[in-house]
Amino acid sequence: MTTATTTATTPARTTDVTGFPATGSPVVLDRAELHAAVGDPVLTSMNFLNEVMGRFPGAISFAPGAPHDSFLADVDAGRHIATYLDHLRRTAGLPEGEPERRLYRYGAAAGQINALVARQLRLDEGIMAAPEAVVVTVGCQEAMFITLRALHAGPDDVLIVPEPCYVGVMGAAKLLGITVRTVDQSEGTLDLDRLAALCAEIRAGGGRPRSFYLVPDFANPSGARMDLPARKALLALAEEQDLLLLEDNPYGFTAAPGSELPTLKLLDRSARVVYLGTYAKVCMPGARVGFVVADQQVRDADGGTRLLADELTAIKSMVTVNTSPISQAVIGGILVENGGSLREPAARKAAFYQHNLAVLRRALERHFPRSLRRRAGIDWHAPDGGFFLMMDVPFDADEDLLEVSAREFGVLWTPMRHFFAGPGGTHRLRLSSSYLDPTQIEEGTTRLAAFIQSRL
Amino acid sequence: MTTATTTATTPARTTDVTGFPATGSPVVLDRAELHAAVGDPVLTSMNFLNEVMGRFPGAISFAPGAPHDSFLADVDAGRHIATYLDHLRRTAGLPEGEPERRLYRYGAAAGQINALVARQLRLDEGIMAAPEAVVVTVGCQEAMFITLRALHAGPDDVLIVPEPCYVGVMGAAKLLGITVRTVDQSEGTLDLDRLAALCAEIRAGGGRPRSFYLVPDFANPSGARMDLPARKALLALAEEQDLLLLEDNPYGFTAAPGSELPTLKLLDRSARVVYLGTYAKVCMPGARVGFVVADQQVRDADGGTRLLADELTAIKSMVTVNTSPISQAVIGGILVENGGSLREPAARKAAFYQHNLAVLRRALERHFPRSLRRRAGIDWHAPDGGFFLMMDVPFDADEDLLEVSAREFGVLWTPMRHFFAGPGGTHRLRLSSSYLDPTQIEEGTTRLAAFIQSRL
């Protein structure tokens, strides 16, 4: 709970809410009889981290992969909404009061700011998406969720993910009962031969390799980035294997100037890529606005075709009805204020995140000289961008040790096992550098070094 | 698309979005290979109605079950956000800038305004829910969605719904692969003996009657309302059958003064009721803020217990991460401005909807005198509140006829078959009186009468 009221609250764990004496005996549900996703480590790991952070507020946390708070000072929801309303007045020729009503009514399930999103993609990424191919979603998570639902008809349709993998996609797959197979990316490189072999194996078992989810730029948690030849090879493989690629791109904007790479979506010549986007990192998380570009054709039994985006819209209407037009107006206003492109704020923020990552790398190098690293089996995979870095340690970095680290050393990190579908990730942790100040990174690394030293 | 920009848009049905000459051949997906929910009538019916409304903008539409536009003049998102920020400043003792940052960051998955929601439930409904038992959701649809996901472990766990039934719950069940059985409510009354017999039948077939979704007050589309003895009998039946009740209450506020009935949740003595709520009707739809009260205990294998709300929160985090704190601030601000209770605005709006319903009934009575009704087989089920009325007609009121009605008579309605899981609802239509002005209702009924006369 982050709000407070002046009223007394009832006890936290009440089973009878009638306010009258309970006469029946309250039902107690058996967790084993709930859906299998309930209690699954994938769903509980995030909660565990939040809970530990809550219990050790003085600890420096390398856990949250959130944008830095200082950028929130740029945000003024009221002003952005006013800007968007003004944009509607100027461009849509609406009668008095109608722009406001468009924010307060239910809106179109596909979204209201689709043309602005399409324009931003064109200006910033070179992606030429028709507004009709865009579905505006409640963050990128819902984009992923509805896309997985549409594409996976049953348990034979297999979703492939790199391992380690962002928990959001694994959690969505659990809720939807989607079969997941993994391809190892623990050393940062995606082995396309292994991916091809996995596809063959899935087919041999009677399944269909349906989609491959990935973050080509500075993945969470691995920080891995695919180079241009690998991107082209992956697209060719997708074609060969009749696989759809779900490209999630929250961190591409953090690339160092001049080192940007084209998205898979831009390189795609055969509509193999469904593009998942978010405004959480460059604009702000609190609007909960993301989107999916799904320009694939879908043919039905009588030969008619629609866009995949239309099918996703129908699915979305049964998950959240539509994305809040007020939230969309906040993001729409930011887009309008920036002339339609987010290049300027993205570049400014990228410089900050690049610097933070450099500070973390230098601090690690200082605390763990090469000789110690070699001797103790310590190493890290430092990417050229993004929010995350993977660190190898010579002990099992589990949740119990995280407690010790928080309590005795005042530093938090994420156990890498959270990002593994099966066993794995035991001797590794994820460090996020996005949410901390450089001075906190310095101090946090000092504390982390003390913690790690204590385990050697 | 409801927005416009000054940029040229690419053609609506593009398959190659790279902006470069296409060299690969674009994939065409086969709808039959997508998830079974795609193309299901339940998901496409809403789209069909929107599409027809778009093509006949001059038609008077009895289709939308949305709140009346005039109430949107009360809404001022910027002011409500400011009110909520002020509330946070006064009550939470936060440092400068922190209230704003709480709106712009990711927020707690369970919600931020839970204490305000719990207070409103206590003041307006007498429901004593702990804030911890409340999960704030992206509209009531997401509340329903995550609740169904948690409670239904597999195909043997059957969801029972009255028929006709709100499409949102049938659509959510389709997406989640949940088995649905129906109990007839086409004449307005819920036959509890039939419900008990259905539970027995499900058990005999090896299934488990897990949950029963219903709108006890002025249901969509039937307008039906359960009286107090029926509510008590249903609670007893739920106990007997080990059934959970999913009580959805969007229309209870429209009851005539003095005729309010206690919710199932208020009458519940054994935590059998999961309460689904929305701020769409009394505040505004555009914030997309709803909630679920899930104060049931869940016991896990080692005997520990948590609230069902905690499990729903974990599920929600994999669907939409969290509900936009900006949207929550809009609703939170409205709650604070109204002293925590929504009784005053709810009563004011109820009077408007009561009046509209009376206007519709009188107009129907004028156009269809008793003798004609009897002779032609025309009748209607007029409820004492809510947004909807069911009308029987002596012909199959299908989508083709709706087109005729729109084109030739300038009036729209909803085919009742949209609310049936199987066949049924053929000779009936739903009229919504919430979205129209009294003069539009008069004129619309005149047009409707002309249309119906033309089919006799």
Side-chain angles (χ1 to χ4, degrees):
Chain A
M1 289 305 306
T2 53
T3 62
T5 70
T6 53
T7 62
T9 56
T10 49
R13 290 292 177 268
T14 174
T15 54
D16 178 46
V17 294
T18 60
F20 301 18
T23 54
S25 90
V27 63
V28 177
L29 304 174
D30 184 347
R31 190 189 250 190
E33 293 187 358
L34 300 178
H35 187 261
V38 173
D40 187 280
V42 164
L43 274 82
T44 55
S45 63
M46 293 224 283
N47 184 60
F48 171 79
L49 281 176
N50 288 336
E51 187 262 328
V52 175
M53 280 178 65
R55 273 193 295 131
F56 301 99
I60 291 176
S61 180
F62 287 106
H68 194 266
D69 262 4
S70 63
F71 293 123
L72 301 180
D74 300 350
V75 183
D76 181 343
R79 191 187 78 220
H80 303 317
I81 292 171
T83 301
Y84 181 73
L85 285 170
D86 190 51
H87 167 79
L88 274 188
R89 272 181 219 108
R90 279 185 296 109
T91 59
L94 301 172
E96 173 78 15
E98 183 61 14
E100 287 80 0
R101 286 193 291 270
R102 291 215 174 165
L103 266 53
Y104 303 150
R105 281 194 202 115
Y106 290 103
Q112 296 199 356
I113 60 167
N114 308 46
L116 287 169
V117 172
R119 187 175 177 216
Q120 188 253 318
L121 283 172
R122 181 169 59 75
L123 294 173
D124 295 353
E125 306 284 350
I127 296 172
M128 304 293 280
E132 291 77 2
V134 174
V135 183
V136 181
T137 53
V138 181
C140 189
Q141 184 67 30
E142 192 195 29
M144 210 152 59
F145 194 88
I146 61 176
T147 303
L148 289 175
R149 177 65 310 166
L151 295 178
H152 290 257
D156 289 343
D157 285 351
V158 179
L159 164 68
I160 306 175
V161 300
E163 189 170 54
C165 183
Y166 173 54
V167 289
V169 69
M170 295 194 288
K174 290 258 180 212
L175 292 182
L176 295 168
I178 291 173
T179 309
V180 179
R181 294 292 302 272
T182 60
V183 56
D184 181 64
Q185 200 185 11
S186 57
E187 297 316 311
T189 316
L190 190 66
D191 185 334
L192 294 184
D193 290 338
R194 277 210 207 179
L195 178 57
L198 178 59
C199 289
E201 189 191 319
I202 290 165
R203 277 208 185 80
R208 172 168 71 150
R210 180 55 153 164
S211 64
F212 178 50
Y213 167 89
L214 79 163
V215 180
D217 289 279
F218 315 119
N220 175 10
S222 70
R225 191 184 201 198
M226 291 181 84
D227 62 20
L228 187 56
R231 288 171 199 235
K232 290 180 175 170
L234 177 61
L235 284 162
L237 181 71
E239 191 70 17
E240 208 176 281
Q241 296 288 343
D242 192 16
L243 199 60
L244 292 162
L245 303 177
L246 312 185
E247 180 180 27
D248 187 4
N249 186 19
Y251 309 110
F253 79 95
T254 65
S259 77
E260 300 85 356
L261 290 174
T263 60
L264 291 169
K265 186 68 185 160
L266 184 62
L267 297 167
D268 183 18
R269 289 291 175 279
S270 47
R272 286 276 160 198
V273 178
V274 177
Y275 187 80
L276 306 165
T278 177
Y279 289 107
K281 313 299 183 196
V282 177
C283 295
M284 99 195 77
R288 307 303 307 120
V289 174
F291 60 90
V292 49
V293 179
D295 50 6
Q296 285 73 21
Q297 299 274 357
V298 176
R299 184 154 42 207
D300 60 23
D302 60 17
T305 59
R306 304 173 74 195
L307 286 176
L308 180 58
D310 296 328
E311 312 293 4
L312 297 183
T313 298
I315 291 174
K316 177 185 165 58
S317 74
M318 295 297 163
V319 179
T320 58
V321 182
N322 63 299
T323 304
S324 167
I326 298 172
S327 283
Q328 292 185 70
V330 172
I331 297 300
I334 293 176
L335 288 168
V336 171
E337 287 168 17
N338 283 279
S341 158
L342 294 175
R343 274 182 189 260
E344 187 280 317
R348 194 159 36 87
K349 293 172 189 194
F352 175 90
Y353 295 122
Q354 282 277 338
H355 178 66
N356 265 12
L357 208 52
V359 170
L360 176 59
R361 287 175 69 161
R362 280 199 301 269
L364 287 171
E365 278 159 17
R366 216 164 43 241
H367 284 287
F368 301 97
R370 198 172 302 265
S371 58
L372 169 64
R373 273 183 257 170
R374 207 163 21 222
R375 181 159 35 87
I378 293 167
D379 203 359
W380 52 89
H381 305 241
D384 300 320
F387 287 11
F388 309 107
L389 177 152
M390 293 195 295
M391 186 173 191
D392 291 322
V393 290
F395 49 82
D396 188 353
D398 63 7
E399 299 190 343
D400 289 342
L401 263 198
L402 176 59
E403 286 252 6
V404 173
S405 177
R407 191 174 52 242
E408 294 177 21
F409 297 89
V411 64
L412 284 159
W413 33 268
T414 309
M416 187 58 72
R417 67 201 328 140
H418 286 185
F419 305 100
F420 280 71
T426 54
H427 289 57
R428 187 174 275 185
L429 37 95
R430 187 192 76 174
L431 301 179
S432 167
S433 58
S434 62
Y435 195 66
L436 300 173
D437 295 325
T439 52
Q440 291 174 306
I441 293 175
E442 297 277 5
E443 171 62 20
T445 310
T446 303
R447 295 182 187 185
L448 182 73
F451 160 69
I452 291 176
Q453 288 280 3
S454 78
R455 315 301 304 177
L456 298 182
Chain B
M1 291 304 308
T2 53
T3 62
T5 69
T6 52
T7 62
T9 57
T10 50
R13 290 293 179 270
T14 176
T15 54
D16 178 47
V17 294
T18 61
F20 301 23
T23 54
S25 88
V27 64
V28 177
L29 304 174
D30 185 347
R31 191 189 248 189
E33 293 187 358
L34 300 178
H35 187 260
V38 172
D40 188 281
V42 164
L43 274 81
T44 56
S45 62
M46 293 223 284
N47 185 59
F48 172 78
L49 282 175
N50 289 336
E51 188 261 328
V52 175
M53 280 178 66
R55 273 193 295 132
F56 300 99
I60 290 176
S61 180
F62 287 107
H68 194 267
D69 262 3
S70 63
F71 293 124
L72 301 180
D74 301 350
V75 181
D76 180 344
R79 190 187 78 218
H80 303 317
I81 292 172
T83 301
Y84 180 73
L85 286 171
D86 189 52
H87 167 79
L88 274 187
R89 273 181 218 107
R90 278 186 295 108
T91 59
L94 301 172
E96 173 79 13
E98 182 61 14
E100 286 81 0
R101 286 193 290 271
R102 291 215 175 165
L103 265 54
Y104 303 151
R105 281 195 203 114
Y106 291 102
Q112 296 198 358
I113 60 167
N114 308 44
L116 288 169
V117 172
R119 186 175 177 216
Q120 188 254 317
L121 283 172
R122 181 170 60 75
L123 293 173
D124 295 353
E125 306 284 350
I127 295 172
M128 303 292 279
E132 291 79 1
V134 174
V135 183
V136 181
T137 53
V138 181
C140 188
Q141 185 67 29
E142 193 196 27
M144 211 151 58
F145 194 89
I146 60 176
T147 302
L148 288 175
R149 178 63 310 165
L151 295 179
H152 289 257
D156 289 341
D157 284 351
V158 180
L159 165 67
I160 306 174
V161 300
E163 189 170 52
C165 182
Y166 173 53
V167 290
V169 69
M170 295 195 287
K174 290 258 181 213
L175 292 181
L176 295 169
I178 290 174
T179 309
V180 179
R181 295 292 302 273
T182 60
V183 57
D184 180 64
Q185 200 185 11
S186 57
E187 298 315 312
T189 315
L190 189 67
D191 185 334
L192 294 184
D193 290 339
R194 278 209 207 180
L195 179 57
L198 178 59
C199 289
E201 189 192 320
I202 291 165
R203 276 207 186 80
R208 172 168 72 148
R210 180 55 153 166
S211 62
F212 178 50
Y213 167 88
L214 79 163
V215 179
D217 289 279
F218 315 120
N220 175 9
S222 69
R225 190 183 202 198
M226 293 182 81
D227 62 19
L228 187 57
R231 289 172 197 235
K232 290 181 174 169
L234 177 61
L235 284 162
L237 181 71
E239 190 72 16
E240 208 175 283
Q241 296 289 343
D242 192 17
L243 199 60
L244 292 161
L245 303 178
L246 312 185
E247 180 180 29
D248 188 4
N249 186 20
Y251 308 110
F253 80 94
T254 63
S259 77
E260 300 86 354
L261 290 174
T263 60
L264 291 170
K265 187 68 184 160
L266 184 60
L267 296 168
D268 183 18
R269 290 291 174 280
S270 47
R272 286 276 160 199
V273 178
V274 178
Y275 187 80
L276 307 165
T278 177
Y279 289 106
K281 314 299 184 197
V282 176
C283 296
M284 100 195 77
R288 308 303 306 121
V289 174
F291 60 89
V292 47
V293 179
D295 49 7
Q296 285 73 19
Q297 299 275 356
V298 176
R299 182 154 42 205
D300 61 22
D302 60 15
T305 60
R306 304 174 73 196
L307 285 176
L308 179 58
D310 296 327
E311 313 292 4
L312 296 183
T313 297
I315 290 174
K316 177 186 164 59
S317 73
M318 295 297 163
V319 179
T320 58
V321 182
N322 63 299
T323 304
S324 167
I326 297 172
S327 283
Q328 292 186 68
V330 172
I331 298 301
I334 293 176
L335 288 168
V336 170
E337 287 169 18
N338 283 279
S341 158
L342 294 175
R343 274 182 189 259
E344 186 281 318
R348 195 158 36 85
K349 293 172 189 195
F352 174 90
Y353 294 122
Q354 283 276 339
H355 177 66
N356 265 11
L357 207 52
V359 170
L360 176 59
R361 287 175 70 161
R362 280 199 301 268
L364 287 172
E365 278 159 17
R366 216 163 46 240
H367 285 286
F368 300 98
R370 198 172 303 266
S371 58
L372 169 65
R373 271 183 258 170
R374 205 162 22 219
R375 181 160 34 88
I378 293 167
D379 203 0
W380 51 88
H381 305 242
D384 300 320
F387 287 11
F388 308 106
L389 176 153
M390 292 195 294
M391 185 172 191
D392 292 322
V393 290
F395 49 82
D396 189 352
D398 64 6
E399 299 191 342
D400 291 341
L401 263 198
L402 176 58
E403 287 251 5
V404 173
S405 177
R407 192 174 51 244
E408 295 175 21
F409 297 90
V411 64
L412 284 158
W413 34 269
T414 308
M416 187 58 73
R417 65 201 329 140
H418 285 184
F419 305 100
F420 280 70
T426 54
H427 288 57
R428 188 174 274 186
L429 36 95
R430 186 193 77 173
L431 301 179
S432 165
S433 58
S434 63
Y435 196 64
L436 299 173
D437 294 324
T439 54
Q440 291 173 305
I441 293 175
E442 297 277 6
E443 171 61 20
T445 310
T446 304
R447 296 181 187 186
L448 182 72
F451 161 69
I452 291 176
Q453 289 279 4
S454 78
R455 315 302 302 178
L456 297 182

